[in-house]
Amino acid sequence: RTIDALLQDPHGAPFARPVDPLMDGVPNYPSVISHAMDLGSVSAKLKRGGYASPQALREDVAQVWRNSLLFNGQGHPVHDVARRLARVFEDAYHRIVAPPLHLDANASGGADY
């Protein structure tokens, strides 16, 4: 659901499909980005059960953001959206996959860890 939410974000269109260097007017994209990744491909792989672990999913999503930050320099609108959506994804990832430890020294048995 998190990937779908990112895809439906009003500013998420640049991340929804693979970059087409000619159609998107960025002919140098392949010379800058060696491992292209997009959220549409992530979503398709996720739906067909292609991820062996949550960490593998996270790595592909992180690749989307790394590519965007590298190609679209600081101050570019797509760079800024990538940073925002990266935070949204990371917040959701940590809530779902790696919830924080709750240490409660007052609970029976001592600290909860």
Side-chain angles (χ1 to χ4, degrees), residues 23-87:
M23 187 174 81
D24 295 332
V26 288
N28 65 328
Y29 190 82
S31 65
V32 176
I33 302 301
S34 59
H35 182 65
M37 185 58 60
D38 64 277
L39 294 177
S41 297
V42 170
S43 179
K45 185 174 178 178
L46 181 62
K47 287 176 182 169
R48 70 175 183 269
Y51 287 104
S53 68
Q55 294 79 12
L57 167 69
R58 183 183 189 203
E59 182 55 36
D60 273 358
V61 173
Q63 188 67 49
V64 174
W65 313 136
R66 279 193 297 270
N67 290 349
S68 180
L69 297 176
L70 176 62
F71 192 79
N72 303 289
Q74 199 164 9
H76 190 285
V78 174
H79 182 280
D80 298 341
V81 172
R83 284 203 177 279
R84 181 178 62 79
L85 294 181
R87 283 190 302 272

Side-chain angles (χ1 to χ4, degrees), residues 1-2 54 89-100:
R1 286 187 261 179
T2 301
F89 177 80
E90 284 298 311
D91 288 348
Y93 181 87
H94 287 290
R95 271 194 322 275
I96 297 166
V97 176

